Each structure stands twice: as structure tokens, then as C-alpha cells.
């Protein structure tokens, strides 16, 4: 519903020719986010946010605890959006998935001059989004305590 409202606002300011292109894109966009179970996002039980300045770049990371496979559905939808951008960028952007400590992280690799690579992953009911796959890897769960929040700030501030 939020996406439809946003698209309606954009469409209200377009010419007829542009509107036809936008309508075609809207269908593509809606298919990309179709896997997202929006109702489960309203039941997020925990949120953690961190940021770290690495040189001139301020990297961000967000964790959301989403019940009942809602985290997986969000990763699927965002991954589809990454792939949509990859297709439109004609080789300038790539989407890569790698596994780190049993967690698949999907990153949208931007051109080398862009110092960020947004990535998403899911670990059980935990969704993670970061502007840096390396930061997401550093903030992996503490295996002994099975908690994603232990030493989060220490992990963000580590130099590894």
C-alpha cells in the first residue's frame, strides 16, 4: 500500500508518455516486492541500529527481529530489487551472494568509485541490512550466547 501511494504521487506529476513507462515499471516493481510479507513487518519485536565511520564513509547497519519468516520474506523482496537494479544498470552493478558463518549475505556491488555495497541477510528471525557486507560480517551473532545484540557496539567499533 505504501509503495502504491508513493507511485501515485510520482505519477500525478508525469506526462502521458512517461506515465505509460511508469505504469509498466510499477508492475515490475510490485512483482519484485511481492515476496515481502508486509503484515509481519508491523510486528517487528526488536530493532538495533549502528553506524561506523570508515575513512570518509559512514556505514550503517540495521537489525530487525521479524517473526514467522517475515525476515526471509524481506530479504527475498530486497534481493529482487537489487536484481532489478542490476538488470537496469547493464553490467555496472552486480548482485552477489556469499555465505559467512552459515548466513547468506546478498550484496549489490556498485561501481568502484562508490564506497558502499548495500547488503541484506537473514539469520532465523533476524533481518540485517547494511551499507557494507564487511560490517555485516563483523556483526554476526555471538555463537555461544545465540544473541545478535551481544557486544554490538564493540563489534561495530572493531577495526577488523
Amino acid at each position: 500500500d505504501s509503495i502504491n501511494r508513493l507511485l501515485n504521487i510520482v505519477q500525478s506529476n508525469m506526462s502521458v508518455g512517461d506515465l505509460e513507462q511508469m505504469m509498466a515499471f510499477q508492475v515490475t516493481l510490485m512483482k519484485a516486492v511481492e515476496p515481502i510479507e508486509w503484515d509481519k513487518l508491523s510486528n517487528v519485536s526488536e530493532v538495533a541500529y549502528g553506524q561506523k565511520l570508515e575513512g570518509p564513509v559512514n556505514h550503517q547497519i540495521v537489525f530487525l527481529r521479524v517473526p514467522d519468516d517475515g525476515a526471509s520474506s524481506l530479504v527475498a523482496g530486497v534481493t529482487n530489487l537489487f536484481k532489478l537494479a542490476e538488470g537496469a544498470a547493464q553490467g555496472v552493478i552486480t548482485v552477489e551472494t556469499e555465505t559467512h558463518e552459515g548466513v547468506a549475505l546478498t550484496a549489490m556491488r556498485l561501481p568502484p568509485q562508490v564506497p558502499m555495497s548495500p547488503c541484506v541477510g537473514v539469520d532465523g528471525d533476524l533481518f540485517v541490512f547494511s551499507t557494507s557486507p564487511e560490517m555485516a560480517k563483523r556483526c554476526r551473532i555471538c555463537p555461544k550466547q545465540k544473541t545478535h545484540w551481544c557486544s554490538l557496539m564493540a563489534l561495530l567499533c572493531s577495526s577488523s
Side-chain angles (χ1 to χ4, degrees):
D1 291 333
S2 300
I3 291 175
N4 282 328
R5 284 193 301 258
L6 175 65
L7 291 173
N8 286 335
I9 292 168
V10 172
Q11 291 170 359
S12 67
N13 296 306
M14 300 181 115
S15 68
V16 174
D18 289 341
L19 185 58
E20 289 173 2
Q21 285 182 324
M22 181 63 179
M23 295 300 285
F25 178 71
Q26 181 177 356
V27 170
T28 302
L29 183 63
M30 295 307 289
K31 284 183 181 178
V33 298
E34 195 172 61
I36 299 174
E37 298 179 54
W38 298 102
D39 58 319
K40 291 181 181 176
L41 292 180
S42 64
N43 293 320
V44 169
S45 61
E46 294 178 80
V47 177
Y49 168 79
Q51 59 181 327
K52 182 179 181 195
L53 186 62
E54 293 181 354
V57 181
N58 191 19
H59 284 293
Q60 317 293 313
I61 191 163
V62 178
F63 294 98
L64 304 174
R65 190 170 303 281
V66 187
D68 305 321
D69 291 326
S72 295
S73 78
L74 187 53
V75 166
V78 173
T79 299
N80 287 345
L81 292 173
F82 285 177
K83 290 178 181 178
L84 193 59
E86 178 183 39
Q90 302 172 350
V92 176
I93 294 172
T94 60
V95 175
E96 301 170 359
T97 299
E98 63 178 299
T99 301
H100 177 73
E101 295 183 16
V103 175
L105 291 173
T106 300
M108 182 169 58
R109 300 289 181 183
L110 302 172
Q113 64 271 27
V114 180
M116 296 185 182
S117 289
C119 73
V120 293
V122 65
D123 187 3
D125 62 354
L126 190 74
F127 168 83
V128 61
F129 172 87
S130 180
T131 57
S132 163
E134 292 70 30
M135 181 182 228
K137 291 174 194 175
R138 284 195 309 265
C139 293
R140 178 73 174 95
I141 66 168
C142 299
K144 291 182 182 172
Q145 288 116 359
K146 291 291 182 193
T147 175
H148 297 273
W149 316 121
C150 67
S151 307
L152 178 61
M153 287 304 135
L155 288 167
L156 290 171
C157 296
S158 71
S159 59
S160 60

